[in-house]
Structure formats: structure tokens, C-alpha cells
């Protein structure tokens, strides 16, 4: 039926205005005994008004218009044709409207930092040392949020006061010197494959730390360059992560090297069910992408996710986000807050690197305006030298670490 616009709408409205209310009480005998057909009509009842075709058309038009506006306003919640064919409508995704990642103005004294925590997961002795190094840095930089370490329950009772093993001594050091809260957990591992990746599911236990309003989980094969407390105050969203900028824009993959999580029983249940059905090549990064690729809040990779391998590259457009900006390694380093060791085929920084590999893989010096610039090379080498020095000091070990 066409809408009642133009003359149709005018005539319908005129017909409604022409009705007057029916009078109650007795009519005079003189006026009720005869009817002048040329000038008088019987006044219709309410039922007759509602049964009028014009009124019904008008009401139908109003109803259709209202349904259209309601559907348009809730378009994103309507079931798709695929879900209708399947007989059930997909649940509404309440995470699809996460606001942009913007840090609001705040004053430290007005924030209850006990509601937030940096989290680390540990699966073996090598990563235990890395984790303690992360917490030592946060302690030294004056981070205000709590620090929580999830570690294999067999390593030590969290209340141990007389640690005997090297692992237990390191856990006690983290607790007593760097204010780390120890949380023993059952390592989430899957048989087969590389043990490091197979045990990386333990990282996702961050979603279960419901004693906090928000946790920031960072990979331990990294260096924190500046505190990142401001991330805890981002707008509400179940999870926030940067994109893997080195794959963007071809692949819009989330990087799980840094995850800002709002722990909840609901999200943890989703995580655990996805792990149970994970494929043979699915690990923590695949899990979070399958669940949150289109719903996560996107954190800027600059300054929150810089790879050491970036300093060895020739094309920096993906990191810079533009082809107009000139690569300035010193400026990039100074603004970065989280530096992740990713330099294949260069080994992780706790694994000895041969001098021949270092010479072969270190960044090349550049010549500009007749002058040689080795800033990228110097910085890159300093990343590995600094890591080795801090590892020796914090973990009190000069032994070769096994991966």
C-alpha cells in the first residue's frame, strides 16, 4: 500500500476532523422525529469511525512507518538471512561498539590503582627469569598498578618463606623485592608441537583474573621502555590489542603480545571453549583473533608494540603509518613504550647469538648527505646487550638458559 501523502493524506485528515462527538442524553422530540436529508446526517459512533476505510488506511500507514523506523534504528541487531535459514538468530554481539582507544585526562591521586594489574604467565625457568625482569622494570619505573605472576603451581607455594630451589628463590625475590603477587596455576598445554607455543594458552588465564577490573598482559620476551599505566583508563571494552602492523593492511590480525583485558567469567568461558575446539595450528594469537578480530578495541601499535626487527628493515611505512615521515630510529625508540624481541632468524635474547650472526644480521649503517649514520645498528645492538646485562643482575645467573 502506498503511503498516504498529498491529496490522500489531506482527505483522510479532513474526514477525521469532520467528526464531532456524539451527544449524550435525550434528544428533543421535535428534532428526533424528523430528519432533514439535505442538511443533516446521523453522527457516527466510535466503532464506525474506526471501521472507516480512510481511517484504517491512515492507521496502517502509521504502523508501517513505525516498524520501518524501528528496524532502521536496530539494523545491526537484525538476524541475517543465513541465521534465519538456520532456524535460529545469532546472539547480539555486545562488543561490536567498543569506543576508540583514547586515554581520558586523569590525575594519579584520583585513580584506585589497586583495581588494575600487569600480568605475566610463566611456563618454565627461562620464562620465569624474563617475567621477573619485566616486573623489575615496572617496579623501577614506578608503575602504580599491581603486578601479578601466574606460574606453575609445582614451582613453589606462594607463601613460602624458605625457598630452596633456584626457581623458588626467584619467585620469592619477585614477591619480596618487586611487590609481585604470586598466583599458582595449572599450565595450559597441548600435546605435540613446539612446547613454547603449546603452553602459550596459559597467557589466556589473564581473562580469569576477576579480582581486577582490568589487566594488561605483556609477553615476557620483551622490554618495557616506559610505564603504560594510562592504558588501564581506556574506555570500557572486553579486550583491547594492537594490530600486527608488520602484516597490515594485507592482514588485519590482532597482536597478542600486549592484551588489555577486562576479566570476566563470561569471557573466560568463551576462551576455554575456544581452546577446547582449537585446531592443531591454533595457539593464543589464533584464539584471540577468532574471538575478537572484529570486536576488540584497537590500541595504537605506535608506541605500544615495536619490534626489534623494525630496526633491521628498509621499509618502515607500516610502522610509521605513512610514506611521508622519515625514519628516525632515535625518535622512534624514545617514543616507544614496549619493545618486543622479534628478529627471525636471530634467536631470542636469552639464547646466545654467535658473533658471526650478529655481524651478519645487525642493521646496516646509512650514508646521508655524505655522513654515515649507524643509529639503527647501535640501538639494535644495545637492545640485546641491555637484556643480557639485566638478566644477569635480576636473575643472578650467568648460566646458559634453555628455551
Amino acid at each position: 500500500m502506498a503511503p498516504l501523502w498529498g491529496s490522500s493524506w489531506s482527505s483522510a485528515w479532513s474526514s477525521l476532523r469532520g467528526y464531532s462527538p456524539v451527544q449524550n442524553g435525550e434528544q428533543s422530540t421535535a428534532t428526533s422525529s424528523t430528519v432533514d436529508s439535505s442538511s443533516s446526517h446521523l453522527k457516527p459512533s466510535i466503532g464506525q469511525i474506526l471501521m472507516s476505510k480512510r481511517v484504517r488506511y491512515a492507521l496502517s500507514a502509521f504502523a508501517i512507518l513505525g516498524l520501518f523506523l524501528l528496524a532502521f534504528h536496530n539494523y545491526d541487531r537484525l538476524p541475517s538471512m543465513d541465521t534465519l535459514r538456520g532456524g535460529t538468530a545469532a546472539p547480539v554481539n555486545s562488543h561490536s561498539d567498543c569506543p576508540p582507544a583514547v586515554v581520558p585526562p586523569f590525575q594519579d591521586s584520583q585513580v584506585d590503582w589497586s583495581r588494575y594489574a600487569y600480568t605475566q604467565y610463566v611456563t618454565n625457568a627461562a620464562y620465569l627469569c624474563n617475567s621477573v625482569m619485566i616486573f623489575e622494570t615496572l617496579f623501577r619505573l614506578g608503575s602504580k598498578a599491581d603486578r601479578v605472576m601466574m606460574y606453575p603451581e609445582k614451582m613453589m607455594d606462594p607463601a613460602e618463606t624458605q625457598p630452596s630451589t633456584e626457581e623458588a628463590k626467584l619467585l620469592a625475590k619477585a614477591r619480596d623485592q618487586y611487590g609481585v603477587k604470586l598466583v599458582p596455576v595449572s599450565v595450559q598445554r597441548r600435546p605435540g608441537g613446539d612446547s613454547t607455543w603449546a603452553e602459550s594458552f596459559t597467557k589466556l588465564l589473564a581473562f580469569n583474573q576477576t579480582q581486577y577490573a582490568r589487566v594488561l598482559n605483556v609477553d615476557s620476551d620483551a622490554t618495557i621502555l616506559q610505564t603504560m599505566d594510562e592504558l588501564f583508563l581506556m574506555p570500557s571494552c572486553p579486550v583491547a590489542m594492537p594490530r600486527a602492523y608488520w602484516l597490515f593492511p594485507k592482514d588485519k590480525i590482532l597482536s597478542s603480545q600486549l592484551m588489555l583485558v577486562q576479566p570476566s567469567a563470561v569471557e573466560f568461558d568463551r576462551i576455554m571453549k575456544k581452546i577446547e575446539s582449537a585446531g592443531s595450528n591454533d595457539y593464543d594469537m589464533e584464539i584471540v583473533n577468532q574471538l575478537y578480530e572484529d570486536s576488540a578495541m584497537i590500541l595504537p601499535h605506535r608506541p605500544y608494540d615495536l619490534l626489534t626487527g623494525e630496526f633491521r628493515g628498509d621499509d618502515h611505512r607500516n610502522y610509521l603509518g605513512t610514506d611521508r615521515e622519515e625514519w628516525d630510529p632515535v625518535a622512534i625508540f624514545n617514543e616507544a613504550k614496549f619493545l618486543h624481541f622479534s628478529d627471525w632468524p636471530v634467536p631470542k635474547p636469552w639464547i646466545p647469538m654467535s658473533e658471526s650472526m650478529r655481524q651478519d644480521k645487525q642493521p646496516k649503517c646509512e650514508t646521508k648527505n655524505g655522513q654515515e649514520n649507524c643509529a639503527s645498528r647501535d640501538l639494535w645492538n644495545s637492545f640485546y646487550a641491555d637484556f643480557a646485562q639485566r638478566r644477569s643482575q635480576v636473575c643472578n645467573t650467568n648460566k646458559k638458559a634453555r628455551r
Side-chain angles (χ1 to χ4, degrees):
M1 183 188 73
L4 295 177
W5 303 120
S7 59
S8 298
W9 170 256
S10 299
S11 60
W13 177 241
S14 298
S15 64
L16 285 172
R17 290 195 304 167
Y19 294 125
S20 60
V22 177
Q23 299 294 326
N24 293 326
E26 295 182 355
Q27 302 290 335
S28 66
T29 305
T31 57
S32 62
S33 59
T34 59
V35 177
D36 186 350
S37 59
S38 63
S39 60
S40 301
H41 296 280
L42 289 175
K43 295 174 182 178
S45 67
I46 295 297
Q48 289 173 321
I49 293 174
L50 296 177
M51 290 300 293
S52 167
K53 287 185 178 181
R54 288 179 175 175
V55 174
R56 282 184 287 143
Y57 289 163
L59 293 176
S60 299
F62 279 125
I64 293 173
L65 180 62
L67 288 173
F68 174 79
L69 293 175
L70 181 63
F72 181 80
H73 181 70
N74 295 279
Y75 175 79
D76 59 332
R77 300 192 179 193
L78 294 176
S80 66
M81 290 305 296
D82 289 337
T83 56
L84 289 175
R85 292 190 189 101
T88 57
V92 175
N93 183 359
S94 61
H95 309 158
S96 60
D97 298 324
C98 287
V102 178
V103 178
F106 69 94
Q107 294 182 356
D108 285 348
S109 59
Q110 297 179 353
V111 178
D112 182 3
W113 293 107
S114 66
R115 300 176 65 240
Y116 311 114
Y118 290 86
T119 58
Q120 285 280 289
Y121 79 100
V122 170
T123 56
N124 55 44
Y127 280 89
L128 171 60
C129 178
N130 295 347
S131 183
V132 176
M133 290 171 64
I134 290 287
F135 287 132
E136 182 276 333
T137 300
L138 289 169
F139 176 80
R140 175 166 38 86
L141 293 177
S143 170
K144 298 175 178 61
D146 280 359
R147 295 176 278 278
V148 174
M149 182 193 294
M150 298 173 285
Y151 69 98
E153 52 194 354
K154 65 181 181 180
M155 282 188 176
M156 189 188 78
D157 185 293
E160 178 64 62
T161 58
Q162 299 293 329
S164 56
T165 67
E166 290 299 316
E167 294 172 350
K169 290 178 181 178
L170 201 49
L171 285 167
K173 181 177 183 178
R175 179 193 62 198
D176 299 337
Q177 293 190 27
Y178 308 134
V180 177
K181 297 184 177 181
L182 303 180
V183 179
V185 299
S186 176
V187 175
Q188 305 296 304
R189 61 168 55 88
R190 186 171 59 190
D194 182 274
S195 60
T196 300
W197 295 109
E199 295 175 348
S200 66
F201 288 128
T202 307
K203 176 194 303 187
L204 302 179
L205 292 176
F207 284 84
N208 198 36
Q209 303 306 305
T210 53
Q211 68 272 33
Y212 293 101
R214 220 163 197 172
V215 300
L216 181 62
N217 193 91
V218 296
D219 279 2
S220 62
D221 53 344
T223 294
I224 292 180
L225 303 173
Q226 301 181 53
T227 181
M228 297 180 283
D229 289 356
E230 70 278 2
L231 288 178
F232 294 112
L233 306 180
M234 288 282 188
S236 179
C237 185
V239 64
M241 287 178 276
R243 296 281 187 198
Y245 73 86
W246 54 96
L247 301 175
F248 190 84
K250 181 180 179 181
D251 296 310
K252 297 181 180 180
I253 296 176
L254 299 170
S255 169
S256 61
Q257 297 163 4
L258 183 148
M259 297 192 304
L260 182 65
V261 174
Q262 288 179 186
S264 74
V266 172
E267 294 303 314
F268 184 61
D269 182 63
R270 293 182 69 208
I271 290 285
M272 295 307 293
K273 287 181 178 177
K274 182 61 71 171
I275 290 177
E276 290 172 2
S277 62
S280 58
N281 294 317
D282 290 341
Y283 298 104
D284 63 288
M285 192 164 177
E286 286 73 24
I287 294 295
V288 295
N289 272 275
Q290 290 167 15
L291 289 175
Y292 303 109
E293 182 179 15
D294 297 321
S295 62
M297 178 189 293
I298 306 302
L299 299 177
H301 65 266
R302 182 180 179 183
Y304 295 112
D305 196 10
L306 173 61
L307 302 188
T308 52
E310 189 67 33
F311 291 81
R312 293 174 49 218
D314 298 321
D315 186 349
H316 304 284
R317 288 176 295 179
N318 281 7
Y319 183 79
L320 297 175
T322 177
D323 58 359
R324 302 293 182 88
E325 183 179 354
E326 184 177 354
W327 171 252
D328 184 341
V330 175
I332 294 299
F333 170 73
N334 286 335
E335 76 176 18
K337 296 195 171 189
F338 182 71
L339 179 69
H340 188 256
F341 285 92
S342 182
D343 256 321
W344 181 259
V346 176
K348 293 295 185 180
W350 60 91
I351 300 174
M353 177 182 7
S354 67
E355 180 61 21
S356 60
M357 173 171 280
R358 190 186 69 81
Q359 291 285 346
D360 181 54
K361 299 301 180 183
Q362 67 181 353
K364 297 178 175 60
C365 295
E366 298 178 342
T367 301
K368 188 174 183 179
N369 299 326
Q371 293 186 341
E372 188 178 53
N373 186 334
C374 297
S376 288
R377 169 180 290 186
D378 294 341
L379 284 168
W380 185 86
N381 279 302
S382 72
F383 299 152
Y384 287 89
D386 170 74
F387 189 95
Q389 182 181 16
R390 287 188 298 111
R391 187 178 179 85
S392 177
Q393 293 175 346
V394 172
C395 302
N396 192 25
T397 176
N398 291 309
K399 297 181 294 183
K400 293 182 179 179
R402 295 181 180 178
R403 186 175 181 180

